Amino acid sequence: MLDRYWESTAGSAGARAPRPWTTSTARLRSLNGRWRFRLSPTPAGTGPGFERDGYDDAAWDLIRVPAHWVLEDITVPWADEPRVSAPRLDGTGPLYTNTAFPFPIDPPRVPTENPTGDYRLEFELPADEVADRREGATVLRFQGVDSCAAVWLNGVELGWFTGSRLPVEFAVGHLLRAGRNVLAVRVHRWSAGSYLEDQDMWWLPGLFRDVELIERPVDAVDDFNIVADYDHTTGVGRLRVDADRPGMVEIPELGVRAATGETIAVPEVDPWSAERPRLYRGTLTAGGERIDLVVGFRTVTIDGGRLLVNGSPILFRGVNRHEHDEHRGRSLDRETMVRDIELMKRANINAVRTSHYPPHPEFLRLCDEYGLWVVEECDLETHGFIYAAWEGNPPAEPVWRDALHDRIRRMVQRDKNSPSVVVWSMANESWTGDTFRELRQWIRDADPGRPVLYERDPSYADSDFHSLMYPSLEDLERIGRREEPTPEGVEPGSTDDVRRRGLPFLLVEYAHAMGNGPGSLVDYQRILEAHERFCGGFVWEWIDHGFAARDAAGRPFTAHGGDIAFRPNGGRYCLDGVLFSDRTPSPAYFELAAAIAPVALEPDAASGTVRIVNKHDFADLSALVFGWRLDVDGLPIAEGPIDVPAVGPRSGVQIVLDDVPPVEAADGEVWLTVTAALADATDWAPRGHEVAVGQARWETVGSAPASAGPAARSEEVGDPVRPEPVFDPLTGALGSLFGVGIAGPTVDVWRAPTENDRGQGSSNTMAADGKAVGLDRFTHRTDARATVGPTTVVRGRSGPATQTLAVLWEQTWTVGDARIDLTADFAFTGRWSDTPHGHYDVTPPRLGLRLALPGGYDRVEWFGRGPGESYVDSMAAARIGRFAASIDSFQVPYPVPEENGNHVETRWLRILGPGLPTLRIAATDPEISLFDFTARRWTSEALENARHPHDLSDSGSVWLNLDVRQQGLGSSSCGPALPERYRVPSEPATLRLTFTAER
Ligand code: GAL
């Protein structure tokens, strides 16, 4: 073995040439299971000799394979408590960094402190399973080992390799024995390969994907290539299977029986697309083996600056997917992969970027079957060289050439026959280097049928796409018009500049879903659909990468980088998915589903019609059924089906809704909801699964909108309670209303900062800007209180110490028999802009009132947007209706506590609790203004200060915020500033509310 092979830039030694992943008649024996394992602190491992046949490993741990050893219960001999349960948070377990290398930058050297796991497996082979003992026959395959391994079989050295998320095979036929065999693998946590694997994710060593023995005939096909083009002008498919051995190709369904290398024209073939994943199954028989062929006919081209498949432009409604499981890290079982795909398809997602490495091959097989476009990315990111000003960056250093070629070859060879893969992405965030040119050329020669993406090189000379991460809406618009500013370092008007402008644009990452957010998904989608240059985008990202952990008291929580005692550490940056770490969808998941819905439903009361736009690229609407429902004040009064013709892709139809009855005058607020749902069950969702919803006000002829009053009829109204407000003589605050102890209302301008409010570093950090001027520490002063007849006016000023900025407020209470009306006026005073702390305009994250109610209240019903949370820039998934929820279920358990559970456009809400009068708060005139509300058992301050959800405890009160407005969510944790229109303007505002109560 090469001395210090783990620090070699050669990539690997001793492995077979990479070949396509496939299933076949060759017997596959899984070597997954319980292996012997011993962890050592340095690359020396347990020392020489552990690979020997007779080595005594009886005292070693047992570990499951596949798994990451840092996520298993094992012995760490040098730790304080050697026998550990996973995940260990003390720095000997999983480590998380975003851009930083967790070791000194001195390529290709890595520290001597390099945890090394020695693995041993003894397995028996019956005599008939080792029939062919020639060298080329049986292969030993590792689907994924992080980060570097050396391998011995029956004491004989096979070689070593790096490339954690790429397969490696060794020829072992000549080494296998009937009876007992011993496989020994030494795995190093750090290696030269680690310099190429600096993706924003956990560092998770081990044999984490399958280990397999495949008994192949010695002259079996190694390399085969399926060409399955589709000519959309004639409907003819062209099939050719090339192989490195002559063989016979058969696709019974198409009547195909041909030799390898022969081109066959198949008339009237059904093409493959993500929308209609039509596959034809067949075989390639050669060298005594029958290989399964899975053929999808499709042609990917770039023409006229657009990405086309089968002649049609396509739009990726995509997500970036890391492989993650909250217990098992990147060691995913098939069930989890299927779950991901079902969840994606149900959320209208049609594309996946495999950020930032080839996934388990089974995932791609499932994408072929279920239908998802795949942008497959190679296992290559050298981001940490940014801290060396990119000096020594591997793509620019010839010494790394072989390792980079090896990685690209292993990806393309493994997956080139997968119809779902339509774009190869060479790397993520690895800056520039000449090797990219070679890699691009190699791919073009090996696989001319797929375009190549590389986002980071501003010249885009080696990319078939222009691409960026996290542009603002304005920048995206400009890109759509091909009017983007020339990237830095590129000469305006140069060949690169002109060429880039002609390329299609692929939005490789956008909408950073960290914590509560992202906002603007609808805005981005509107732009992506508006310009033909766009082939869509990929939200960052699919799933939070947090680990299921327990604190000292045994309470479960989601661990992130900041919970690990190791520096550097990327903190909470690993929690930025539309699924929580346990795969529960977060509100962002539903918002995304609504924003990217492939059907737009636009009812229009004036014409009594609905416009239905089919945004699919290939499918007509025949798989969907449509219906309408008429609600008055959120209660359904009539519904019916809508007959929709099989409208073709990228076109629309206007349908007259004859059956919708006119609504009686003054019945209340009338809404028409139109839905599109699956007509039949699919392999990813049941029949009736809702694909799209559209809503519009539907006050038809003769009807008039009603005030909040009449709607109360349908709210099980009890006996009205008299308001009997009690005001504190000094502060003017309420002490009691309707006989219920109430504290407040006080002016509130702060919310527990969301991850997006905090921004990234020092940029776009609205939370830090607001704190700098004390928005989080307002004190309140009452200046006047006067009661005249039924009216009490309280006036005051709320603002922070050290500042002049403040809100001047006036609350006018008018008491009636069974109601009390509040007009709350807010005016901004002092320096809100150009403050001494910086030359910016500070806008508050919210503007409104906060009340404390008795803790016995436990439920809320409301008429407004729901059922999930909503914000001004994230409300596509929240429809107008009537909803009910317990206060506890209202809270969205973001793993890092932050503002959540807001509801915009509220007409009224009722707060209920056993033995307490039901309190009803309504917009006094909903036609003029609505309000936002949140309700929780703890204050915003407690929410802000909690590190984990379990730090939050019942304060004994219910804290109710009634806001003129909360600012939007944005996605500034990695992305542009929150657009102006989603902020709370520092302008005078009024909240008009009517309080009633009943028993
Ligand atoms: C991108 C990167 C991703 C992730 C994201 C922020 O720059 O490609 O891997 O780090 O930012 O979460």
Side-chain angles (χ1 to χ4, degrees):
M1 191 89 57
L2 182 67
D3 194 29
R4 305 182 73 85
Y5 56 89
W6 61 91
E7 291 179 330
S8 164
T9 55
S12 64
R16 297 176 94 257
R19 63 187 182 106
W21 186 84
T22 181
T23 54
S24 79
T25 47
R27 181 157 30 196
L28 185 141
R29 165 185 272 267
S30 169
L31 299 182
N32 295 345
R34 295 271 153 195
W35 291 43
R36 286 286 174 186
F37 179 75
R38 173 145 289 184
L39 192 61
S40 308
T42 72
T46 54
F50 92 108
E51 74 282 3
R52 280 198 327 263
D53 204 347
Y55 185 88
D56 181 7
D57 60 14
W60 286 24
D61 281 324
L62 281 171
I63 197 171
R64 63 180 154 177
V65 170
H68 302 282
W69 75 63
V70 287
L71 300 178
E72 299 295 296
D73 295 353
I74 52 150
T75 306
V76 181
W78 65 92
D80 298 340
E81 294 163 52
R83 184 76 203 172
V84 301
S85 309
R88 194 176 174 89
L89 308 181
D90 65 357
T92 61
L95 302 179
Y96 169 62
T97 60
N98 175 353
T99 53
F101 287 117
F103 44 77
I105 308 179
D106 183 22
R109 305 295 308 275
V110 291
T112 307
E113 290 163 26
N114 186 355
T116 291
D118 285 346
Y119 291 78
R120 283 174 53 90
L121 177 73
E122 292 189 9
F123 59 96
E124 298 277 328
L125 283 185
D128 69 321
E129 273 200 32
V130 280
D132 195 337
R133 305 231 186 121
R134 282 171 294 168
E135 183 170 357
T138 301
V139 303
L140 169 65
R141 176 161 69 197
F142 295 89
Q143 293 280 22
V145 181
D146 194 331
S147 84
C148 174
V151 189
W152 293 261
L153 181 63
N154 293 329
V156 179
E157 174 188 321
L158 298 178
W160 64 272
F161 59 95
T162 53
S164 300
R165 272 70 56 174
L166 290 161
V168 166
E169 289 182 337
F170 295 97
V172 295
H174 57 306
L175 299 175
L176 290 171
R177 304 188 292 227
R180 201 170 134 276
N181 291 268
V182 181
L183 180 57
V185 188
R186 174 161 289 162
V187 181
H188 307 288
R189 184 165 199 176
W190 311 119
S191 67
S194 307
Y195 283 98
L196 308 177
E197 297 175 1
D198 191 27
Q199 294 96 337
D200 174 6
M201 61 188 195
W202 294 90
W203 299 90
L204 300 174
L207 300 179
F208 75 99
R209 286 186 190 158
D210 313 284
V211 183
E212 299 157 329
L213 264 186
I214 307 143
E215 195 196 327
R216 306 163 62 249
V218 79
D219 52 355
V221 162
D222 266 343
D223 193 8
F224 69 100
N225 194 38
I226 305 173
V227 179
D229 292 341
Y230 178 73
D231 182 342
H232 67 281
T233 59
T234 59
V236 173
R238 184 178 61 113
L239 177 68
R240 203 185 64 234
V241 180
D242 294 312
D244 59 1
R245 302 257 192 291
M248 181 57 68
V249 176
E250 286 170 278
I251 315 254
E253 194 185 347
L254 294 173
V256 168
R257 200 179 138 75
T260 47
E262 224 179 275
T263 302
I264 308 134
V266 190
E268 289 175 31
V269 82
D270 276 342
W272 188 95
S273 72
E275 292 168 12
R276 291 212 210 111
R278 180 66 160 97
L279 295 172
Y280 295 90
R281 293 175 192 276
T283 52
L284 161 62
T285 311
E289 185 186 18
R290 215 169 51 239
I291 293 173
D292 297 323
L293 295 180
V294 179
V295 178
F297 289 88
R298 94 263 176 295
T299 296
V300 185
T301 50
I302 290 182
D303 199 7
R306 310 169 85 179
L307 176 67
L308 310 178
V309 176
N310 302 335
S312 303
I314 60 167
L315 196 71
F316 297 130
R317 300 175 159 86
V319 284
N320 280 283
R321 174 182 182 267
H322 268 286
E323 293 178 316
H324 185 74
D325 175 88
E326 62 167 346
H327 301 286
R328 310 223 45 208
R330 286 189 286 275
S331 201
L332 297 194
D333 54 22
R334 185 175 188 276
E335 221 168 73
T336 308
M337 300 177 207
V338 171
R339 184 79 191 123
D340 272 352
I341 291 180
E342 282 172 357
L343 282 165
M344 286 178 188
K345 300 279 292 183
R346 288 180 189 187
N348 297 322
I349 291 163
N350 71 358
V352 181
R353 172 177 176 236
T354 69
S355 54
H356 300 298
Y357 42 82
H360 190 289
E362 181 67 11
F363 181 75
L364 296 181
R365 218 181 60 73
L366 292 166
C367 290
D368 294 344
E369 248 170 46
Y370 283 80
L372 283 168
W373 306 113
V374 176
V375 173
E376 186 174 1
E377 190 150 271
C378 197
D379 196 356
L380 178 55
E381 175 163 342
T382 64
H383 211 153
F385 282 89
I386 197 170
Y387 301 103
W390 294 107
E391 203 177 299
N393 186 33
E397 300 290 329
V399 69
W400 292 94
R401 269 191 74 237
D402 290 351
L404 268 49
H405 275 272
D406 179 56
R407 282 170 189 251
I408 288 285
R409 235 181 357 250
R410 279 155 73 189
M411 171 179 76
V412 172
Q413 279 295 84
R414 193 190 75 169
D415 298 326
K416 65 184 179 184
N417 291 324
S418 177
S420 57
V421 177
V422 286
V423 177
W424 298 118
S425 167
M426 292 195 288
N428 188 53
E429 298 186 312
S430 303
W431 197 226
T432 60
D434 287 345
T435 304
F436 278 123
R437 181 136 318 155
E438 297 176 19
L439 299 177
R440 159 85 183 299
Q441 195 52 51
W442 185 87
I443 298 175
R444 187 178 274 170
D445 294 343
D447 182 22
R450 289 182 180 91
V452 174
L453 168 73
Y454 181 53
E455 182 267 347
R456 199 35 65 107
D457 180 345
S459 77
Y460 296 92
D462 302 317
S463 176
D464 294 317
F465 299 87
H466 179 24
S467 179
L468 281 179
M469 296 180 178
Y470 310 106
S472 67
L473 295 164
E474 296 73 22
D475 288 349
L476 193 63
E477 283 272 13
R478 274 192 286 273
I479 293 167
R481 298 194 302 266
R482 301 189 193 269
E483 288 170 5
E484 70 274 10
T486 302
E488 220 172 294
V490 176
E491 185 67 29
S494 62
T495 319
D496 282 343
D497 193 27
V498 173
R499 178 180 170 276
R500 187 205 63 255
R501 242 178 257 288
L503 296 176
F505 183 87
L506 186 153
L507 185 54
V508 81
E509 293 177 24
Y510 76 111
H512 200 246
M514 186 174 180
N516 192 349
S520 279
L521 283 167
V522 166
D523 300 326
Y524 278 99
Q525 193 60 23
R526 185 184 48 73
I527 299 171
L528 290 171
E529 288 174 8
H531 301 275
E532 62 166 43
R533 184 182 195 185
F534 292 128
C535 54
F538 295 81
V539 161
W540 189 267
E541 66 175 308
W542 176 236
I543 184 168
D544 283 358
H545 327 185
F547 286 115
R550 287 184 184 272
D551 71 358
R555 293 177 303 179
F557 72 101
T558 299
H560 53 71
D563 295 310
I564 309 291
F566 182 85
R567 284 176 52 222
N569 116 33
R572 316 191 297 246
Y573 232 62
C574 54
L575 304 178
D576 50 7
V578 300
L579 300 185
F580 292 121
S581 301
D582 65 357
R583 285 194 161 66
T584 312
S586 88
Y589 170 89
F590 298 104
E591 182 70 11
L592 179 62
I596 62 176
V599 184
L601 303 167
E602 296 157 3
D604 172 54
S607 56
T609 62
V610 59
R611 180 161 169 72
I612 298 179
V613 183
N614 178 7
K615 299 181 179 181
H616 287 99
D617 299 319
F618 300 96
D620 64 23
L621 294 181
S622 55
L624 301 175
V625 286
F626 296 79
W628 60 267
R629 199 189 63 226
L630 198 63
D631 289 350
V632 176
D633 280 338
L635 295 179
I637 57 160
E639 61 180 25
I642 308 174
D643 257 344
V644 177
V647 179
R650 293 191 174 224
S651 51
V653 66
Q654 187 107 9
I655 292 178
V656 180
L657 298 172
D658 288 328
D659 300 343
V660 180
V663 184
E664 294 288 305
D667 260 356
E669 198 175 308
V670 188
W671 282 80
L672 188 82
T673 303
V674 176
T675 55
L678 292 181
D680 296 301
T682 62
D683 48 0
W684 48 269
R687 172 171 176 235
H689 165 78
E690 212 162 78
V691 170
V693 179
Q695 280 191 310
R697 283 293 286 268
W698 202 262
E699 270 93 36
T700 43
V701 197
S703 72
S707 71
R713 279 204 308 271
S714 49
E715 288 172 47
E716 293 171 37
V717 181
D719 295 333
V721 182
R722 296 178 63 79
E724 291 172 352
V726 179
F727 292 99
D728 180 287
L730 204 62
T731 64
L734 280 175
S736 162
L737 190 63
F738 303 109
V740 176
I742 287 184
T746 45
V747 169
D748 199 353
V749 295
W750 190 244
R751 70 182 185 189
T754 64
E755 297 286 20
N756 288 312
D757 289 345
R758 291 183 196 277
Q760 191 179 16
S762 57
S763 68
N764 290 336
T765 165
M766 295 186 82
D769 293 350
K771 273 173 179 277
V773 295
L775 297 192
D776 60 331
R777 50 181 171 79
F778 265 33
T779 54
H780 309 280
R781 189 181 80 204
T782 304
D783 292 328
R785 185 175 79 92
T787 302
V788 179
T791 302
T792 299
V793 179
V794 192
R795 198 173 296 133
R797 183 186 192 277
S798 298
T802 75
Q803 302 294 315
T804 64
L805 65 77
V807 173
L808 298 174
W809 50 267
E810 187 173 287
Q811 295 170 4
T812 306
W813 297 92
T814 308
V815 188
D817 264 358
R819 63 191 273 176
I820 176 165
D821 294 310
L822 169 66
T823 300
D825 291 306
F826 307 87
F828 290 71
T829 182
R831 288 175 81 100
W832 284 84
S833 60
D834 210 9
T835 69
H837 290 271
H839 297 275
Y840 47 78
D841 291 348
V842 196
T843 55
R846 68 154 28 107
L847 179 64
L849 300 174
R850 178 211 282 213
L851 298 129
L853 308 178
Y857 282 110
D858 60 2
R859 260 178 320 129
V860 180
E861 295 172 1
W862 75 103
F863 175 36
R865 286 206 182 260
E869 64 179 23
S870 56
Y871 292 82
V872 273
D873 59 350
S874 173
M875 52 191 233
R879 58 181 199 279
I880 303 283
R882 195 182 283 208
F883 307 96
S886 72
I887 287 175
D888 294 335
S889 71
F890 243 28
Q891 316 307 316
V892 182
Y894 290 106
V896 176
E898 59 195 87
E899 156 60 29
N900 69 84
N902 188 57
H903 297 278
V904 299
E905 298 185 358
T906 312
R907 277 76 173 156
W908 55 254
L909 66 91
R910 298 168 86 219
I911 306 202
L912 304 91
L916 289 161
T918 297
L919 212 56
R920 184 177 193 276
I921 303 168
T924 306
D925 190 345
E927 292 304 317
I928 295 177
S929 66
L930 306 173
F931 64 98
D932 284 23
F933 82 94
T934 59
R936 47 177 69 101
R937 298 199 172 279
W938 36 78
T939 59
S940 298
E941 291 74 20
L943 190 56
E944 176 169 357
N945 292 330
R947 250 176 78 74
H948 296 292
H950 65 239
D951 298 330
L952 290 162
S953 55
D954 188 350
S955 68
S957 298
V958 168
W959 297 88
L960 179 67
N961 273 88
L962 305 165
D963 290 316
V964 174
R965 189 179 196 188
Q966 261 205 56
Q967 74 184 15
L969 298 171
S971 60
S972 305
S973 52
C974 183
L978 182 68
E980 204 64 42
R981 64 181 182 281
Y982 296 133
R983 298 181 184 219
V984 178
S986 29
E987 288 164 6
T990 301
L991 195 57
R992 284 193 187 81
L993 301 171
T994 297
F995 295 67
T996 49
E998 75 214 37
R999 267 199 193 278

